[in-house]
Amino acid sequence: MNKPELLIPAGSLENLYIAVAYGADAVYIGGEAFGLRAKAKNFDQQKMIQGITYAHGHGVKVYVTANIIAHNEDIDQARAYFKELLEIQPDGVIIADPGMLMVAKEVMPDMEFHLSTQANNTNYATMQFWHQQGVKRVVVARELSLEEITTAKQKVPDTLDFEAFVHGAMCISYSGRCLLSNYMSGRDANKGACTHPCRWTYHLVEETRPGEYMPVYENERGTYIYNSKDLCLISHIDQLVASGIDSFKIEGRMKTALYVATVTKTWREAIDDYFSDPDVYASKLAYYEAEVRKCTHRQFTTGFYFGKPDGDEQIYTSNTYTRSYTFVGKGIDYDPIKKLAHIQQRNKFVVGDTLEVLKTNGKNIEFIVDTMYNIEGEIVREAPHPKQDIWIEVDFEILPNEIIRRPADQDSA
């Protein structure tokens, strides 16, 4: 069995650095156009070059998304964009639209192409067709069961790789092909501008009684009728590997640095444990699940992998995330002589707080903030300013890009 690639979302250059630090095998990023996360920070040409150079220097691959469903006006711009990518040389380009693939192949004939889940890859014949068009990898549709994925993998050529989402937010629409956002707000989900109307609350209006809003209930639990739980398969790595999936894909180019660090570290550890000793992996399932809950998340589901979801896979009472930890800073460097860690603040923390360093290698370290200094070298009792430079006295090394978090129950302190 081949060890699957761990593929991590990077919606910003900072998140790319963090994904690399915590053990990603590959990251996927978006440019300023043609990807499906227009509200992510994304990468201009210079940042893309910087990110790819950094990742390649650490043995990590970079795939660029260009998976919009294109309209006429997009084609000439896409051709110009692909010429830029030809110079930048990522490891692969993710595409959904046949016309976009045709143009990309003309401009970048030697590029590796991955077929986005937006292309609705639900059967082996479709996958074989796309492979014949030059696609090296398909991202299987989220609505496939593990049995369907296994069967398809057995029927396609060995030269076609399978990538599958194993963690993160779920669309309620067919492999992301959703018209709700465009219809309700004029912002096209299939061109990267989704407003997430699946997370809104709804009422019913009868046309002869305008202005009379009747709540929509399902067993009186709530009104968020499209709001899916988040996918999490970290306890099923053995079955995922046995199915032949080549790349484990984490969703989340809109997510925080804490999410990227937490999920990358935990999935890296779980995959490595499984391939080192399956019994060790099996003994740590509760630990892995507890760890991935230490960043913002919804309740978890296994999606379609083990059967079609029912009403229990929706969250009817709220569209908010659960948050048990707050991202308070990241490591910049460490002075072993003075025992001072240089931290860039992200949320306020104060002397006396109990913080935890999410270590890139080894066990996380918890500590109490005792003494800290500002950029002028003055002793301070709090770090209240966004991205403030702070030095903390600690007797262990905090490495660059290591994330520092605080239990959310201390936030009001």
Side-chain angles (χ1 to χ4, degrees):
M1 293 184 294
N2 293 323
K3 195 172 189 178
E5 171 187 83
L6 178 58
L7 176 56
I8 300 298
S12 66
L13 192 57
E14 177 182 54
N15 281 8
L16 183 149
Y17 293 153
I18 289 168
V20 170
Y22 283 95
D25 295 310
V27 298
Y28 61 102
I29 68 176
E32 294 181 303
F34 307 115
L36 286 183
R37 290 295 181 270
K39 289 190 286 185
K41 294 179 181 178
N42 291 322
F43 291 70
D44 59 24
Q45 185 180 29
Q46 191 56 46
K47 286 182 179 177
M48 196 175 287
I49 292 170
Q50 190 175 343
I52 291 172
T53 300
Y54 182 86
H56 286 175
H58 290 79
V60 174
K61 293 182 178 181
V62 180
Y63 309 131
V64 176
T65 60
N67 57 339
I68 66 165
I69 306 303
H71 290 242
N72 289 334
E73 64 270 18
D74 298 314
I75 299 301
D76 286 342
Q77 296 174 44
R79 181 174 278 106
Y81 179 58
F82 292 145
K83 288 178 180 177
E84 290 182 6
L85 292 184
L86 180 63
E87 298 298 319
I88 296 171
Q89 282 295 305
D91 297 279
V93 177
I94 305 167
I95 290 177
D97 185 279
M100 292 280 281
L101 178 62
M102 181 178 70
V103 173
K105 286 170 63 179
E106 291 173 3
V107 176
M108 305 178 290
D110 297 322
M111 181 61 67
E112 180 172 304
F113 296 112
H114 299 177
L115 193 67
S116 170
T117 191
Q118 288 290 115
N120 308 127
N121 309 303
T122 59
N123 65 80
Y124 66 84
T126 295
M127 298 170 188
Q128 288 173 336
F129 167 81
W130 284 109
H131 192 38
Q132 291 169 7
Q133 309 312 307
V135 167
K136 171 71 169 90
R137 176 186 292 187
V138 293
V139 186
V140 299
R142 282 185 175 94
E143 52 272 10
L144 290 187
S145 69
L146 198 61
E147 181 180 359
E148 289 177 294
I149 293 170
T150 303
T151 299
K153 182 66 174 175
Q154 292 168 349
K155 289 183 175 290
V156 301
D158 291 341
T159 48
L160 180 62
D161 292 342
F162 276 22
E163 177 179 305
F165 282 98
V166 297
H167 192 103
M170 296 272 285
C171 261
I172 54 89
S173 199
Y174 203 77
S175 284
R177 290 283 193 103
C178 186
L179 301 176
L180 272 179
S181 180
N182 207 8
Y183 179 78
M184 300 180 76
S185 66
R187 296 180 61 172
D188 191 348
N190 296 305
K191 296 188 75 175
C194 186
T195 53
H196 304 287
C198 55
R199 309 298 180 189
W200 299 352
T201 185
Y202 289 88
H203 287 70
L204 179 68
V205 176
E206 200 274 324
E207 65 177 23
T208 65
R209 290 183 279 180
E212 219 175 297
Y213 298 99
M214 292 169 277
V216 179
Y217 290 118
E218 191 156 327
N219 295 334
E220 298 185 353
R221 287 181 293 179
T223 62
Y224 294 90
I225 55 176
Y226 301 131
N227 189 31
S228 173
K229 295 179 181 178
D230 282 355
L231 184 66
C232 181
L233 292 164
I234 201 163
S235 296
H236 301 278
I237 287 176
D238 51 348
Q239 293 154 291
L240 295 172
V241 170
S243 75
I245 294 170
D246 302 285
S247 179
F248 290 176
K249 187 170 192 173
I250 309 297
E251 182 276 338
R253 279 195 292 133
M254 298 287 290
K255 299 292 179 66
T256 66
L258 176 59
Y259 172 92
V260 170
T262 303
V263 175
T264 305
K265 176 182 170 69
T266 310
W267 272 89
R268 176 78 280 150
E269 185 175 351
I271 293 169
D272 291 348
D273 284 345
Y274 176 74
F275 277 85
S276 175
D277 187 337
D279 290 335
V280 169
Y281 164 76
S283 72
K284 293 172 65 175
L285 297 183
Y287 160 78
Y288 305 135
E289 294 219 8
E291 285 299 305
V292 293
R293 285 185 168 90
K294 291 181 179 179
C295 56
T296 52
H297 67 280
R298 299 181 182 91
Q299 299 169 50
F300 287 139
T301 175
T302 55
F304 289 81
Y305 277 87
F306 303 104
K308 291 185 178 179
D310 57 22
D312 290 335
E313 307 311 305
Q314 300 292 110
I315 305 171
Y316 298 98
T317 56
S318 171
N319 67 349
T320 58
Y321 285 94
T322 299
R323 181 173 60 84
S324 57
Y325 280 79
T326 298
F327 174 30
V328 298
K330 72 170 186 175
I332 303 298
D333 56 33
Y334 181 75
D335 186 333
I337 305 299
K338 297 180 179 179
K339 296 189 181 299
L340 285 178
H342 180 190
I343 306 299
Q344 186 183 75
Q345 182 263 33
R346 290 308 173 87
N347 280 289
K348 180 181 175 180
F349 61 91
V350 301
V351 169
D353 276 353
T354 298
L355 306 182
E356 184 180 31
V357 181
L358 195 63
K359 295 299 292 179
T360 51
N361 287 298
K363 189 176 180 181
N364 299 338
I365 300 176
E366 197 173 81
F367 68 99
I368 296 174
V369 179
D370 182 35
T371 305
M372 59 182 181
Y373 305 87
N374 63 17
I375 197 168
E376 286 82 24
E378 301 165 333
I379 293 178
V380 293
R381 294 197 56 80
E382 61 180 13
H385 306 301
K387 295 191 176 182
Q388 182 178 4
D389 286 296
I390 289 290
W391 284 258
I392 302 176
E393 288 187 2
V394 287
D395 59 3
F396 59 90
E397 186 176 22
I398 298 179
L399 297 172
N401 294 311
E402 286 190 330
I403 296 298
I404 303 164
R405 61 191 182 188
R406 177 184 61 212
D409 58 15
Q410 293 187 67
D411 284 357
S412 59

